[in-house]
Amino acid sequence: MRKLILAISMLAFAGSAAFADPIQERQAIMKERGKIAGQLSKVVKGETPYDAAAVLAALKALEANAEKFHANVDTLFPAGSDTGDTTAAPKIWQDMAGFKAVEEKYLADVKAAVATAPADVDALKAGFNTIGGDCGTCHQTYRIKKG
């Protein structure tokens, strides 16, 4: 029993420490998202052959990433985390409802892409273009462009 309590305590501590630096955590999520999107982009562009299982696995990874972001958006963007080494625009904190709406659309579009399990590259392109549009919308409004 004592070991169980210790294990639960350690998990709780690890969970709270995971967001000790929300800027680093959200950057890590976005880097992971970019890496997965890059893999899918190569398939869409014809640089990598279409493989239904690999595409679905990448879409599921993108979905898990989006769900993690969605579940933790308030923790990832607390007041005061708009300064420092971040490209998150002040607009996020000024319009949190709008930011969350864009994020929720992205999550829904990723889930839809997973649910349809694109049968070929053309089907992937359609879903991927929608997802890419969501990314672009968010970046135009809620991200500071580095010079």
Side-chain angles (χ1 to χ4, degrees), residues 70-84:
H70 178 77
N72 297 293
V73 72
D74 291 324
T75 307
L76 292 168
F77 295 91
S81 68
D82 57 337
T83 60

Side-chain angles (χ1 to χ4, degrees), residues 15-56:
S16 65
F19 294 118
D21 185 342
I23 294 172
Q24 287 181 350
E25 183 63 22
R26 64 187 184 231
Q27 288 173 344
I29 290 171
M30 289 298 166
K31 284 180 185 174
E32 177 188 49
R33 185 174 292 183
K35 182 178 177 185
I36 299 165
Q39 293 168 355
L40 291 168
S41 178
K42 286 181 180 182
V43 176
V44 167
K45 292 177 183 177
E47 297 170 5
T48 301
Y50 180 84
D51 175 328
V55 165
L56 186 58

Side-chain angles (χ1 to χ4, degrees), residues 29-30 32-34 36-37 40 58-59 61-67 69-70 99-113 127-128 130-138:
I29 290 171
M30 289 298 166
E32 177 188 49
R33 185 174 292 183
I36 299 165
L40 291 168
L59 287 170
L62 203 57
E63 180 180 35
N65 174 282
E67 287 174 339
F69 188 91
H70 178 77
F99 178 67
K100 287 180 178 180
V102 170
E103 179 270 326
E104 286 173 4
K105 182 180 180 319
Y106 170 80
L107 176 61
D109 289 339
V110 171
K111 285 181 173 289
F128 191 69
T130 300
I131 291 167
D134 295 338
C135 294
T137 296
C138 190

